[in-house]
Amino acid sequence: MARKQVMARAEQIAHETEPWATDSHNLEGWASNQAMLNRLVSQTEGERLTSVVHNPGEHGVGLLATVEVVMVGVTGNHWMGGEQTDYNVCVRFEVRRESSGPREVTAEAIDCPPGVPATRAPR
């Protein structure tokens, strides 16, 4: 259940980033692809694993940038003070653009690298 909730949140973040990245009437618009990755990581409140910018500018076609993030999901039995467990879920965000049109941001769950534990102690 925690993974489903985290992915729903990741997809919402990806969706909300698209207009920010393409709004030319806004000083924040037309951000570089690196700025988009920074914004995605910030909005997930997660930990950046890797990021690659294939095209640093505002324009370009194809796969422009990717970032992998560890996001935290919460699950537990809250009835009668039950315990809560935090789960790590790794997500890859991709920034793409077709030959014409705005940048698109997608999110997909990926296997976490060996160094990332399945659960995390509450902070």
Side-chain angles (χ1 to χ4, degrees):
M1 184 66 166
R3 185 178 175 111
K4 244 184 174 176
Q5 291 171 337
V6 170
M7 284 312 301
R9 195 170 99 220
E11 288 165 6
Q12 183 65 30
I13 289 167
H15 176 72
E16 289 173 356
T17 300
E18 287 179 0
W20 172 82
T22 56
D23 180 7
S24 62
H25 304 295
N26 179 324
L27 288 177
E28 291 182 316
W30 300 102
S32 70
N33 292 315
Q34 182 63 61
M36 289 187 66
L37 298 188
N38 294 343
R39 183 180 176 94
L40 286 164
V41 173
S42 170
Q43 287 189 281
T44 65
E45 298 177 352
E47 177 184 336
R48 184 189 309 249
L49 291 172
T50 64
S51 61
V52 179
V53 176
H54 302 284
N55 184 319
E58 300 168 6
H59 309 288
V61 176
L63 179 61
L64 304 177
T66 60
V67 64
E68 295 178 359
V69 181
V70 179
M71 295 176 66
V72 180
V74 178
T75 189
N77 179 1
H78 298 289
W79 185 73
M80 296 289 286
E83 292 189 16
Q84 170 181 304
T85 305
D86 292 349
Y87 285 88
N88 287 325
V89 178
C90 295
V91 179
R92 177 183 296 126
F93 292 91
E94 293 187 349
V95 181
R96 296 180 174 274
R97 178 185 283 128
E98 298 300 322
S99 57
S100 63
R103 282 181 278 204
E104 296 177 357
V105 183
T106 57
E108 70 170 311
I110 58 170
D111 291 335
C112 287
V116 177
T119 60
R120 163 183 312 214
R123 298 174 193 217

